[in-house]
Amino acid sequence: MSADALIADIADGFYVTDLIGTGANMVTGDYSRGASGFWIENGERSYPVSEMTIAGHLNEIFRTLTPANDLVFRYGTNAPTVRLEGLTVAGL
């Protein structure tokens, strides 16, 4: 599935392009990071946003993770586009 197909049915969401800081508690599983990217409206990226916070629990993050088929090996750490559901988004 392509990255565009992953966001096609999202009515209201956040497409993260940059993460800020560290925020995973490996004991409790709580996750919170600063982020910037684009707001998604009706399945399309609509406008840029910055200084957002995304938060959730690692169990839920890994349970709802859906990867796209766009993995390209360029650096020492690589990842495809992924879709996560149920994270809390604040700062808009």
Side-chain angles (χ1 to χ4, degrees):
M1 178 178 300
S2 70
D4 289 336
L6 284 179
I7 68 169
D9 66 339
I10 298 174
D12 207 27
F14 183 35
Y15 186 92
V16 176
T17 58
D18 294 300
L19 291 170
I20 304 160
T22 58
N25 183 321
M26 302 312 279
V27 174
T28 65
D30 293 332
Y31 180 83
S32 178
R33 302 263 316 253
S36 61
F38 295 89
W39 196 250
I40 299 170
E41 292 179 322
N42 302 316
E44 295 184 4
R45 288 170 267 195
S46 56
Y47 54 89
V49 292
S50 62
E51 299 183 15
M52 299 285 285
T53 299
I54 57 173
H57 195 274
L58 292 174
N59 286 341
E60 289 298 309
I61 290 171
F62 291 127
R63 188 181 66 75
T64 63
L65 187 140
T66 304
N69 61 0
D70 61 351
L71 177 60
V72 177
F73 293 97
R74 294 185 193 157
Y75 310 105
T77 303
N78 302 281
T81 301
V82 296
R83 177 177 171 163
L84 305 172
E85 298 184 38
L87 291 178
T88 300
V89 178
L92 183 62

